[in-house]
Amino acid sequence: MRRAALALAGAVTMVVATTAPASAVWWWPTPQPAPTCGTTIYKPDGTAWKCTFADDFNTGTLDGKKWAVQQTAATGMHAGPECLVNSSRNVSVSGGSLHLTTRKEAAAFTCRSPYGAYTTQYTSGGVTTTGKFAQTYGRFEFRAKFPAVKVPGVQTALWMYPATLKYGAWPASGEIDVTEFYSQYPDRSIPYIHYNTADDSSPVTNWSCKLDPSVFNTYVAEWTTTGITISHNDTACLTHTFNPAAPLTSPQPFDQPYAVLLTQVLGTGTNTFNATSTPLPATTDVDWVRVWS
């Protein structure tokens, strides 16, 4: 998926008291409970992974402490003719899942973007932890099902992107697509690792990982200082050892914190959206997102 700028600013507000009476009572923020990732999972060396982020989407609302809604108006991000918006029609939580929906609106409208406004009749949904959570290395797990669409036009990504572009604009700072769903290929999940490689093999991918994307599957990336292994339902799909082009050296650019993104959009290229043949609305359901270090 071609990306525009993705930075979504996160802000922390602090109130500082410069003076206080001797009898003042100081109130500190209540510590947040440690995240819980369910069953303990062990690394190959026998030590347990430590849960650092978890959302099972069981509260009925999107947790604003963990996620921000992706908006084309803020970042310019979109893939096809859709406009990513902050609307409960496109981003919602119910039944223990996050729902990201692409839909056709009743009338065309102007989609604002830092890179130039455009006219569209399609809205879509995505969320990101940018500005709220990012991590370097670890285990990143998603359980999700994609739209039951078997003709070109719909695209979904469960992915990670640098919190800051330490090594320059895409793809120089890297991108990890744990899975992408292209409705043109409704029988498989496609992982991608984007960066500038020494052997000019970017992007690194595997188009042969067969499964049924329209049912819940578990997608995992295990990211270390030497490489990344991406698995689907406990079966390895892609294993890659970092091999960056000069002047970078391994593990660059994958030595910096990456945020988590979940994005439902319309397709491009050979998977281009067709207004007459691509069925809408199309919804991706995410059961959980869990991260360990």
Side-chain angles (χ1 to χ4, degrees):
M1 179 188 296
R2 187 176 174 126
R3 319 270 196 258
L6 302 174
L8 290 176
V12 177
T13 302
M14 297 181 66
V15 178
V16 180
T18 56
T19 61
S23 60
V25 177
W26 292 89
W27 294 96
W28 299 99
T30 303
Q32 296 298 310
T36 302
C37 289
T39 305
T40 301
I41 299 176
Y42 294 92
K43 303 177 185 179
D45 64 5
T47 61
W49 288 100
K50 177 184 177 181
C51 183
T52 55
F53 179 94
D55 198 339
D56 288 350
F57 303 109
N58 289 328
T59 63
T61 59
L62 187 70
D63 189 340
K65 294 180 180 179
K66 298 176 180 178
W67 304 98
V69 176
Q70 296 174 0
Q71 298 180 69
T72 302
T75 66
M77 179 180 173
H78 70 102
E82 80 291 336
C83 185
L84 288 158
V85 297
N86 186 355
S87 168
S88 61
R89 287 164 53 84
N90 302 95
V91 179
S92 63
V93 176
S94 65
S97 293
L98 168 69
H99 313 291
L100 305 174
T101 300
T102 302
R103 65 178 62 253
K104 182 179 181 179
E105 300 300 334
F109 64 96
T110 299
C111 182
R112 304 297 178 185
S113 167
Y115 303 101
Y118 55 96
T119 300
T120 184
Q121 199 171 347
Y122 304 96
T123 56
S124 203
V127 296
T128 175
T129 66
T130 303
K132 301 173 184 292
F133 172 83
Q135 180 173 301
T136 310
Y137 313 127
R139 176 184 170 96
F140 296 72
E141 180 175 304
F142 309 82
R143 180 169 170 80
K145 67 176 181 178
F146 303 131
V149 178
K150 297 186 177 182
V151 297
V154 173
Q155 185 172 334
T156 311
L158 311 179
W159 54 299
M160 292 118 75
Y161 198 75
T164 60
L165 299 180
K166 181 178 179 180
Y167 299 102
W170 186 91
S173 291
E175 174 181 321
I176 303 168
D177 298 318
V178 181
T179 178
E180 290 209 60
F181 166 69
Y182 299 86
S183 59
Q184 177 186 11
Y185 304 102
D187 63 345
R188 68 198 66 196
S189 168
I190 304 169
Y192 277 99
I193 301 172
H194 296 272
Y195 71 117
N196 296 325
T197 61
D199 58 3
D200 198 31
S201 61
S202 184
V204 177
T205 186
N206 182 358
W207 283 65
S208 301
C209 302
K210 298 294 187 71
L211 47 70
D212 180 359
S214 67
V215 301
F216 279 108
N217 296 284
T218 301
Y219 306 91
V220 174
E222 291 194 2
W223 169 19
T224 71
T225 57
T226 58
I228 298 173
T229 295
I230 294 175
S231 302
H232 301 159
N233 298 327
D234 296 323
T235 299
C237 176
L238 176 64
T239 298
H240 177 68
T241 300
F242 298 138
N243 183 30
L248 273 57
T249 59
S250 182
Q252 297 171 333
F254 300 102
D255 62 341
Q256 58 179 318
Y258 275 49
V260 175
L261 301 94
L262 317 173
T263 310
Q264 171 63 62
V265 291
L266 293 174
T268 59
T270 59
N271 190 47
T272 293
F273 169 72
N274 186 316
T276 61
S277 61
T278 305
L280 293 179
T283 298
T284 287
D285 301 310
V286 183
D287 190 14
W288 72 62
V289 177
R290 298 169 181 171
V291 184
W292 295 261
S293 63

